[in-house]
Structures are given as structure tokens and as C-alpha cells.
Amino acid sequence: QVQLVESGGGLVQPGASLRLSCAASRSIFSINVMGWYRQAPGKQRELVAAITRGGSTNYADSVKGRFTISRSTAKNTVYLQMNSLKPEDTAVYYCKADVNTRNYWGQGTQVTVSS
């Protein structure tokens, strides 16, 4: 089992940056894949970015070049650096951990991009 705690959301203006953090309760080397997802009102939850245990990353087309997923193995934490934020990035952002055949989710953190 793994607990995930997200932080770092907030209200920002278009063009600003935010960094989200997802702290895991166990070594992230024991987790196959960690990812960031988001869900906007009235829309389905979608993958934003993911990083594998080996360090490979992938991104949604809508955030390529603006968002970066990274990790700190010392802190068992995965980050999502979000630059050049747009109003359409507004959503609740969730962290997910894939451990063998089970998925674990954090509680989510709200990101609002508005002028």
C-alpha cells in the first residue's frame, strides 16, 4: 500500500508557473509508474505526465514543452513543474502510483489559472 499527498496548487495568472509535489509513503523505486492526472469540471480525468521507475517520462500533447515531471528519490517525491500556464490548465491535479496490479491516488490539489 502507498499513501500519496499532493501540494503546491493555487490560483495564478496566465503565463505564470507552479510546481506541484506528490510525496509517497514508501520508496518510489518500489513504484512502477507515478503520474500526474487532472480533471476539469465536466470532463474526464486525463493523464498529464508520468515517470517510470527507470526514469522514462511521457506527457500529454497539450502540456509538452510547458510541463516537466521529475522526482527526488531521497524525498520519495514526484514533482510537476508547470510553466506558461493557460486557463485551460485549470483543474484538480491528482497524483497516481501504480504498484504491481494496484493503483493508488492522492486527494488532489486545485490549480486555477485566471486573470
Side-chain angles (χ1 to χ4, degrees):
Q1 194 172 7
V2 57
Q3 284 78 45
L4 304 170
V5 179
E6 301 105 330
S7 61
L11 170 63
V12 297
Q13 293 187 337
S17 298
L18 276 176
R19 189 177 79 158
L20 306 182
S21 299
C22 172
S25 61
R26 61 191 275 181
S27 171
I28 58 176
F29 278 129
S30 67
I31 300 171
N32 295 332
V33 182
M34 291 195 71
W36 285 98
Y37 289 71
R38 67 186 180 187
Q39 188 166 20
K43 294 188 177 181
Q44 289 189 331
R45 193 172 297 189
E46 62 176 359
L47 173 69
V48 176
I51 185 166
T52 69
R53 179 164 42 196
S56 298
T57 59
N58 67 286
Y59 297 90
D61 287 344
S62 59
V63 306
K64 283 181 181 176
R66 299 189 299 123
F67 291 10
T68 302
I69 189 170
S70 63
R71 64 186 181 185
S72 167
T73 55
K75 297 182 179 180
N76 293 325
T77 299
V78 172
Y79 304 98
L80 185 68
Q81 178 66 43
M82 305 186 294
N83 299 329
S84 302
L85 282 161
K86 304 175 181 180
E88 51 264 44
D89 294 318
T90 295
V92 178
Y93 284 70
Y94 297 91
C95 181
K96 175 173 169 261
D98 298 346
V99 182
N100 297 325
T101 60
R102 300 193 65 176
N103 299 327
Y104 300 89
W105 292 89
Q107 82 287 353
T109 185
Q110 177 71 45
V111 172
T112 303
V113 184
S114 175
S115 55

